[in-house]
Amino acid sequence: RKAGDKGRQGIGTIGEDGDRRQMGATIVMLGAVGVLVDYGMKAEADAKYTDSAGLLSFFAAFYMATSLLTFFMQAAVAKPLLRKVGLGGTMAVLPLVLALNAGLAAVWTRLWTATLARGSQTVLSSSLFRSGYELLYTPIPPLKKRATKALIDIACNRIGYGLGSVVVMAIVATAASPEAATR
């Protein structure tokens, strides 16, 4: 089959299956939220660290810590949590924790609250959410699965990144406008 045929088959599968449409919409939203919390953390880090060495140390520690926590969550928490609360409960941890942490960061804007929001999004999306989410593809026949999974995992995620980036650009443009500077 040609790549275009696989893409059309994937779009067809998503179009005819409400569960797949919901998966796609969820991935779009998570991609957009990921961009927003990432920008929030990076803006707070930039405001706190005036030298490049401080920024480099901060981001090195952040990415090391999130990588280790992701490994731990995947290795030690995902399987028991899937058994105990199922797919939906395991996947629900990400939006619940992220909403709580992002809300905290919005109310109390500090580097640590923004880092907590971004860190929880990074760790939970790559561990618990992914552990439940990947199992949602099980009932899809193998020929349809490949094209459908590529569209949802890659295209929907990138659409979410694009939407989140537009929101960030609007926030930055609004904050940088001459009217905002005189307020």
Side-chain angles (χ1 to χ4, degrees):
R1 287 186 164 235
K2 293 180 182 176
D5 292 342
K6 288 180 182 177
R8 281 190 287 281
Q9 184 178 14
I11 291 170
T13 301
I14 294 168
E16 67 193 28
D17 187 346
D19 290 340
R20 302 304 155 245
R21 285 192 303 272
Q22 285 183 324
M23 286 172 63
T26 300
I27 297 304
V28 167
M29 286 187 292
L30 288 174
V33 169
V35 169
L36 295 171
V37 295
D38 185 55
Y39 175 75
M41 182 189 75
K42 288 177 179 174
E44 286 298 315
D46 186 54
K48 179 172 175 103
Y49 297 102
T50 56
D51 63 323
S52 58
L55 271 174
L56 181 64
S57 295
F58 170 77
F59 285 116
F62 173 79
Y63 289 115
M64 181 187 66
T66 56
S67 294
L68 292 172
L69 285 169
T70 299
F71 175 77
F72 171 77
M73 295 294 281
Q74 184 69 34
V77 178
K79 190 173 183 178
L81 192 62
L82 278 165
R83 285 191 176 133
K84 186 167 182 114
V85 299
L87 292 176
T90 301
M91 291 173 60
V93 172
L94 171 61
L96 293 173
V97 170
L98 185 55
L100 179 74
N101 290 337
L104 179 66
V107 171
W108 196 16
T109 308
R110 301 284 186 272
L111 178 58
W112 73 268
T113 58
T115 303
L116 184 63
R118 176 63 171 132
S120 64
Q121 185 270 336
T122 300
V123 169
L124 296 175
S125 67
S126 297
S127 61
L128 301 183
F129 182 81
R130 181 69 57 188
S131 294
Y133 167 79
E134 291 293 334
L135 294 173
L136 295 175
Y137 288 105
T138 303
I140 302 173
L143 289 175
K144 289 184 175 182
K145 184 185 300 188
R146 187 169 293 137
T148 303
K149 190 169 181 353
L151 283 171
I152 293 174
D153 288 0
I154 298 166
C156 290
N157 194 30
R158 294 300 165 189
I159 290 168
Y161 282 12
L163 293 173
S165 297
V166 167
V167 172
V168 167
M169 287 185 343
I171 291 168
V172 170
T174 302
S177 72
E179 297 84 33
T182 60
R183 287 185 209 154

